[in-house]
Each structure stands twice: as structure tokens, then as C-alpha cells.
Amino acid sequence: MAVPLTPDEALDGPPLSYNPELERIEIELLLEGVFRHYGFDFRSYAYASIRRRLWKRTEAEGLSSISELQALVLHDSAAMERLLLDLSVSVTAMFRDPGFYQVFREEVVPLLRTYPFIRIWHAGCSSGEEVYSTAIVLEEEGLLERTRIYATDINDAVLQQARAGIFPLNRMQEYTENYIRAGGKRSFSEYYTAKYDGALFSPSLTRNTVFSQHNLVTDRSFSEFTVIFCRNVLIYFDRDLQNRVHTLFYDSLVMLGILALGSKESLRFSQYEPCYEKLHPREKLYRKIR
Amino acid sequence: MAYEIIVVGTSWGGLAALRELIRELPAGFGLPLVIVQHRHKRSGQLLPSLLQDCTPLFVCEVDDKAPIETGTVYVAPADYHLLIEDGHFALSTDEPVRYSRPSIDVTLVSAADSYGEHSVGVVLTGANADGARGLKRIHDRGGLALVQLPSTAESPAMPTAALRSVPNARALSIEQIAATLASLPVESARHSERR
Ligand SMILES: C[S@@+](CC[C@H](N)C(=O)[O-])C[C@H]1O[C@@H](n2cnc3c(N)ncnc32)[C@H](O)[C@@H]1O
């Protein structure tokens, strides 16, 4: 069956005639060029996904090889902007994976109560939905007052959205369901006011939060934390880079501090596995024990 | 020709078909078998546990960057695309492809591009056309393409589309597919990492 392809669902990949080794060389060269010319470092991002996105962009630009895409993005910064959009995935949601927040409330909150002062780092916080969700849990548990939250991302545009605290009104029904399934104790609508087509979240939720730019690939640790959230970010990195970032997290966590990963991310394939214990059989919550 | 990985895609009617297929595989089955089944994004761990009930092989849902091991049944997690690299999996939350995430096409293409002629693609029952393009890629790269005989499928649309896309694919009943998979030549010197 000749299924015609439209650009938005291009069959991620090169034409059949393409030599896979040559393809890898071209992709590495393009990423190196982008890094040296523009400073964006995607060299250690997960190859299979980067490759899909590069081909998508190649096809969308009407080109037929990665080398042609390289020439285009190096000489035309508008094309680079388009590629950058393809390469950054910032999808997020409030109370994404409600079960995670439920376990956080039940298993992690009691541990946090034992600290006079709590420091939380949301690494790769995107537009902030995760930050507001966690703040709501901490508020309901009476811990927000003694918590300092650092929310960082590489992408300044999403951080500005996070600071504004306005999320699409048409997602509030989904978020309300998530909130309830996550064990929320109040009425979700208490936390926002509807404005035009946006839901403005109560600024008091972020009264102790600092949003700032931080690049997990190149920037260093900047404090010692009780909890580090890094959910659905490492998935975009290759195993080498994941390990480097795990070093950063390990160094930035207090002893007995908590590391929270995305639902399908695991410490199991990292060299840091022996340094943590699992707090829950299913949710990816770990505690630094050595 | 020695094979190294099998990808099975299915949608509507998939659970019963998968159970029938998995049940027939011997305990010493020597290949990784990767299942991509369309399902609701909140469907959780039900599918892996229902499959585990009918096989001595280890069944698990894939975590990002998990190494690919022989004799294991892997299930693509709901709401992620499952990509295959040499020796390990990679998950992605890229947009759904033709309304599906996981997309069967995406995983088949990725297996074909990483494992070429060492890959096996299987398309079972389903009510859409996902898998047809990916199976073609498996076939074009020299891998083995198997399709459930449409007349035996609870929902014949998907196998029919796959056969139209890959006319040379072998159309078989589930029992025959299981027998074919069980008798595939397997690489004797196993390696978890090819690169
Ligand atoms: C899919 S979002 C995850 C958002 C949120 N943590 C969640 O789980 O819903 C991934 C985020 O990681 C950010 N990111 C990607 N590479 C990064 C890097 N090198 N340093 C910091 N953040 C990065 C992206 O900008 C994006 O906002």
C-alpha cells in the first residue's frame, strides 16, 4: 500500500539507500557544527530521537541529506531556530502521573517533615506545571513555608511562562482529575482564577521559588538539596550524559536526600544505582544512602 | 541468517492474540521479543502482568535505556514511542504518529534501521493501518516480515494493510507465527551490545 507521507508524520528516517555509518558521521558533524557555531550542545542527546527529529527537519526543509541540513542551519540562523524548536520537547502537565504525586505525598512528605528547612531543585522544569503541582502538595501538607524551591531549565522561553504561572484553561479539567487522583485535599479551583483563556495560579504558591536558567550539560551544582526532581529530561540524553548528570545530582543531594525521576526513567542502568535505595516499587523515587 | 530481535505490533484484539502467541514460545526462547500494543495512556501494568501469566519468559515494561536481553518479552509503555538502538532501548515522548503513541511504525522502522537483516517484524490483529510502513522497512532492510492471516484476525484491517504494503510478507495463523519464531536461527555468540 503506497501510504503517502505528510511532513508532520514523516517516516522518521533516511531513504533506504542511505548508509547508516555515513548517516552517523553526518549527524555527529552537524551537532558538532551547531555546538561550535551557536553554542547549543546536543552532542550527547539520545541518538535515535535526535536522528528522527533531524530527518523530520530535513524533510520539512525540502532537503535530502543531513549534510544539506547542516549547511542550511549553519548559514541561516532562522533555520537554526526552526531546528531548535524541533529539538526541544517541553511537553508537561500538572500532576503528570498522578500516582507519582500520591506516593510523593504519602512516602516523601513524612520524611521531609523531619527537616527544619527544605531545599528542592526542579531540574528541567519546563513551563512550571511540575513546580506548581509540588508546591500545592507542600502547601496542603503545611511544608511550603519552610521550603526553598529552585526551578531551572535550559530554555528561557518556558521559564518565562513558568514565572507568569498562567496555564491553558482548557486543560483544567484534565488537571483537576489528575489532582484528585493524586490525593489532593481541597478543591483544585481554589488555586487559580480564570482569566481570558488562561488559568492564573496563585502567586503565593511560588513565593519561595526562584526560576532561573541552568544547563544540565555544562553548568555546575549550585547548592545542596533535600529533593531533586528531574522528570522526563534524562530520557533525551544518551547514557554517557545521563551518567554525567547523575554525578551532578549525587553531588547536589544531602545524605538521605530524594531523587525523583520520570515514570519510565530508571537508575538501574546508571553507575549510581548502588548509592540509592528505592522508596517505592513502581514510582521512580530514590533516596541517597551512601 | 541469524536473527537478533523481534518486534510484534498489534492493536484492537491484541491482548488475546498476544497471549495465544506468547503461550506457544518455549522457555528457552533465545531472542528478545518486543511488543508494541496500542492502549490507553493510563492503562498501567495490566498488559505485562496478563502476559506474564502465560509464559515462563520474563515479561517487563521497558524503561528508558534498558539493555535488550535475549529470552525476554518487552512491552512498550503506554504514551511513549519505543525506539531501538544497538543493544538498548530508548523512549521518546515525540508527538503521536497517526494518532498513536506508541506507534508500531516507529518501533519497526527503528528496529529495521538498527538491526537490518537481523530483525523480525510481526503485525497482528488491529483496526487501523499502523505497522504497514514499518514492516515494509523491515522487509526492505532484509529482515523477516510476518503477518497474521487476516481471516484469522479478530480485526483484519491492520494485517490487511501490512500485506498490501509488503506483499512478500508471510501470512500465517498465530500458531504458525509462534512456530516460526520458535525455530528461527539465533546468533550463537550473544552480545548485549553490538557497537
Ligand atoms: C519534557 S520536559 C519535562 C518537564 C517536566 N519535568 C515534566 O516532567 O513534566 C523536558 C525539559 O527539559 C529541558 N532540557 C532539555 N535539555 C536540558 C538541559 N541540557 N539542561 C536543562 N534543561 C534541559 C527542556 O527545555 C524541557 O523543558
Side-chain angles (χ1 to χ4, degrees):
Chain A
M1 181 169 60
V3 188
L5 300 186
T6 58
D8 69 309
E9 54 169 23
L11 231 200
D12 34 288
L16 255 188
S17 54
Y18 227 85
N19 170 335
E21 270 106 62
L22 185 57
E23 180 191 18
R24 194 175 277 269
I25 294 172
E26 288 181 275
I27 289 179
E28 284 172 8
L29 289 174
L30 180 146
L31 297 179
E32 184 68 27
V34 164
F35 172 61
R36 290 181 44 189
H37 187 57
Y38 292 105
F40 302 118
D41 192 353
F42 292 104
R43 294 173 301 173
S44 299
Y45 279 50
Y47 184 75
S49 326
I50 279 278
R51 171 178 184 266
R52 281 193 79 217
R53 308 227 192 99
L54 289 178
W55 278 108
K56 237 178 112 168
R57 180 58 23 216
T58 302
E59 282 166 30
E61 301 288 347
L63 305 173
S64 54
S65 75
I66 300 286
S67 299
E68 287 170 24
L69 182 66
Q70 175 186 319
L72 178 71
V73 300
L74 290 183
H75 292 280
D76 175 352
S77 59
M80 183 63 220
E81 288 291 320
R82 295 194 289 275
L83 177 61
L84 209 50
L85 281 181
D86 292 339
L87 293 180
S88 25
V89 181
S90 51
V91 281
T92 183
M94 294 191 80
F95 295 97
R96 181 179 192 164
D97 313 311
F100 168 85
Y101 286 91
Q102 187 176 17
V103 173
F104 180 82
R105 194 190 282 265
E106 288 166 4
E107 310 277 326
V108 177
V109 162
L111 302 173
L112 295 183
R113 285 194 199 292
T114 64
Y115 291 85
F117 187 68
I118 301 162
R119 274 176 197 278
I120 296 182
W121 178 15
H122 289 273
C125 67
S126 188
S127 38
E129 283 82 339
E130 174 186 290
V131 181
Y132 285 81
S133 307
T134 312
I136 287 173
V137 175
L138 295 171
E139 174 85 329
E140 293 181 0
E141 299 296 332
L143 290 177
L144 190 58
E145 209 45 61
R146 51 170 138 141
T147 305
R148 183 105 182 128
I149 299 168
Y150 299 82
T152 65
D153 201 282
I154 191 177
N155 179 343
D156 206 39
V158 292
L159 286 172
Q160 290 192 25
Q161 293 176 27
R163 278 188 204 104
I166 302 173
F167 302 119
L169 205 49
N170 63 12
R171 297 198 68 180
M172 288 306 128
Q173 190 186 341
E174 172 198 349
Y175 293 172
T176 304
E177 283 164 23
N178 285 355
Y179 168 77
I180 294 167
R181 288 156 42 93
K185 292 185 170 168
R186 300 188 193 161
S187 153
F188 188 59
S189 57
E190 280 178 33
Y191 294 105
Y192 64 88
T193 39
K195 275 184 95 184
Y196 309 106
D197 53 355
L200 171 66
F201 275 71
S202 161
S204 85
L205 288 170
T206 47
R207 60 188 182 269
N208 301 330
T209 302
V210 178
F211 291 98
S212 70
Q213 209 169 9
H214 179 278
N215 184 342
L216 289 166
V217 182
T218 49
D219 293 339
R220 327 246 348 189
S221 169
F222 52 95
S223 187
E224 271 218 315
F225 298 96
T226 335
V227 186
I228 297 177
F229 285 80
C230 186
R231 308 194 69 224
N232 308 298
V233 180
L234 294 177
I235 201 175
Y236 302 103
F237 297 172
D238 72 13
R239 287 191 292 184
D240 251 21
L241 180 55
Q242 289 190 351
N243 266 319
R244 276 191 274 147
V245 176
H246 275 307
T247 304
L248 175 67
F249 291 159
Y250 179 80
D251 292 343
S252 309
L253 268 180
V254 300
M255 190 52 73
L256 300 184
I258 308 290
L259 178 63
L261 303 178
S263 304
K264 292 294 149 198
E265 294 165 332
S266 174
L267 262 181
R268 207 151 34 98
F269 319 117
S270 129
Q271 70 208 42
Y272 285 92
E273 182 184 18
C275 305
Y276 292 86
E277 70 178 2
K278 283 197 87 173
L279 284 181
H280 191 265
R282 192 184 59 246
E283 301 302 339
K284 302 299 170 37
L285 283 159
Y286 301 89
R287 177 151 72 159
K288 174 171 163 181
I289 50 167
R290 60 175 67 87
Chain B
M1 174 62 54
Y3 291 99
E4 295 180 25
I5 194 161
I6 302 166
V7 175
V8 180
T10 180
S11 182
W12 186 260
L15 177 60
L18 287 170
R19 285 173 61 105
E20 198 182 333
L21 177 72
I22 303 291
R23 191 178 293 127
E24 300 287 325
L25 298 176
F29 189 64
L31 286 169
L33 186 125
V34 184
I35 291 170
V36 184
Q37 149 97 71
H38 293 160
R39 56 198 170 120
H40 190 273
K41 66 175 172 184
R42 286 206 202 119
S43 62
Q45 295 285 327
L46 190 59
L47 178 62
S49 65
L50 289 173
L51 294 178
Q52 187 65 83
D53 287 347
C54 52
T55 176
L57 300 169
F58 179 58
V59 181
C60 64
E61 222 176 55
V62 176
D63 272 332
D64 182 49
K65 307 297 182 308
I68 299 174
E69 280 159 17
T70 56
T72 304
V73 176
Y74 294 98
V75 179
D79 213 25
Y80 291 83
H81 291 304
L82 177 60
L83 299 168
I84 291 172
E85 299 200 30
D86 282 344
H88 67 270
F89 294 104
L91 299 178
S92 128
T93 51
D94 283 355
E95 318 71 61
V97 174
R98 299 186 162 209
Y99 312 105
S100 298
R101 189 172 60 198
S103 149
I104 300 168
D105 282 333
V106 165
T107 305
L108 284 171
V109 166
S110 167
D113 286 352
S114 291
Y115 283 84
E117 55 187 18
H118 305 286
S119 58
V120 180
V122 184
V123 174
L124 304 179
T125 169
N128 51 64
D130 196 9
R133 299 179 306 159
L135 194 71
K136 177 153 171 30
R137 182 67 70 108
I138 295 261
H139 181 259
D140 289 345
R141 293 246 187 250
L144 178 64
L146 307 178
V147 176
Q148 181 176 10
L149 195 62
S151 59
T152 70
E154 182 171 338
S155 185
M158 218 164 84
T160 305
L163 283 171
R164 225 179 290 146
S165 166
V166 192
N168 289 332
R170 286 156 68 185
L172 305 168
S173 69
I174 298 244
E175 211 177 317
Q176 291 168 319
I177 291 174
T180 307
L181 296 182
S183 64
L184 288 176
V186 173
E187 196 100 321
S188 53
R190 287 180 194 165
H191 35 218
S192 58
E193 199 82 4
R194 300 199 320 157
R195 267 170 39 86

